[in-house]
Amino acid sequence: MTPQHQIRADYDARTIVVYQAYSPAIADPALRAGRFVAPFSFHRMTWIKPSFMWLMHRSNWARKPGQERVLAVRITREGWEEALSQAVLTTADPAAVAQAAVHVQWDPERSPRGAALNHYSIQVGIGRHLIRTFTDEWIVGLTDLTPLVRKAATLIQTGHASKAQRLLPAERAYPMPRALEGLVSPGR
């Protein structure tokens, strides 16, 4: 049984993949540059999600206006853990949340058809004071997953969910340092 609050992600010894969805106006220049560039906003919080399925729910499989392009953003694990070390749960005291460089919230994980599951996925909001560090130091690569997303969505819609499942990124429990677990896990 999956623990109620557990970070599941596609990661290797050095990096972790997080997902974001953007309009083509933001995604195309970012993909050409290999990092986020204007018109990406460096002046507001950006949310990253290690759960592919949660982003599919949020972007409606890349069909929601302004979220038509799904990017896999590979960042260093060092950067990921640095972000988490500065995190405040969005359910904390409002004054602490307002001052936090990084926000963390947990939302129900989703099935391929969008149903809420009985465990949660983490979302991490990188505040404007850390965005340049995120974009210039932590990101090691951007990959356009939009064609894969569209193919998987079509398979699911046409009754071939098992074929779609084989296209989805493999995610497993992320080995969280104990000190970080206490910062980002509700009720700890």
Side-chain angles (χ1 to χ4, degrees):
M1 183 172 188
T2 303
Q4 193 167 29
H5 294 93
Q6 177 188 64
I7 297 173
R8 290 167 305 284
D10 176 4
Y11 64 91
D12 59 28
R14 200 175 129 273
T15 64
I16 181 171
V17 177
V18 294
Y19 303 98
Q20 294 185 289
Y22 290 105
S23 68
I26 293 172
D28 290 338
L31 288 162
R32 280 192 299 274
R35 62 186 189 87
F36 289 107
V37 295
F40 175 87
S41 176
F42 294 94
H43 305 291
R44 67 181 193 88
M45 184 168 282
T46 190
W47 288 87
I48 58 177
K49 302 146 188 82
S51 168
F52 181 80
M53 290 311 306
W54 199 92
L55 185 64
M56 294 307 94
H57 167 72
R58 177 78 173 88
S59 71
N60 192 20
W61 291 87
R63 290 187 296 254
K64 188 179 272 188
Q67 297 184 31
E68 304 92 345
R69 300 289 292 286
V70 172
L71 303 182
V73 182
R74 187 168 290 277
I75 64 174
T76 65
R77 285 177 59 173
E78 182 179 332
W80 170 251
E81 292 178 13
E82 172 64 24
L84 296 181
S85 77
Q86 297 184 50
V88 171
L89 289 166
T90 57
T91 55
D93 173 59
V97 174
Q99 296 299 314
V102 177
H103 293 176
V104 163
Q105 74 182 45
W106 293 86
D107 292 300
E109 180 62 280
R110 298 296 172 154
S111 74
R113 293 206 177 270
L117 301 177
N118 291 325
H119 54 277
Y120 294 82
S121 289
I122 194 170
Q123 295 184 67
V124 178
I126 307 294
R128 65 179 176 260
H129 300 297
L130 269 182
I131 286 185
R132 288 284 179 184
T133 302
F134 166 68
T135 61
D136 297 346
E137 297 176 26
W138 298 347
I139 293 176
V140 297
L142 301 174
T143 304
D144 186 359
L145 295 184
T146 310
L148 175 135
V149 166
R150 292 192 176 134
K151 183 175 182 178
T154 298
L155 287 167
I156 291 166
Q157 291 170 341
T158 59
H160 297 91
S162 61
K163 287 182 183 178
Q165 192 69 39
R166 290 192 289 265
L167 298 176
L168 306 181
E171 296 172 357
R172 62 193 194 280
Y174 184 83
M176 284 286 287
R178 205 171 281 293
L180 294 180
E181 274 183 20
L183 284 174
V184 301
S185 296
R188 291 204 180 188

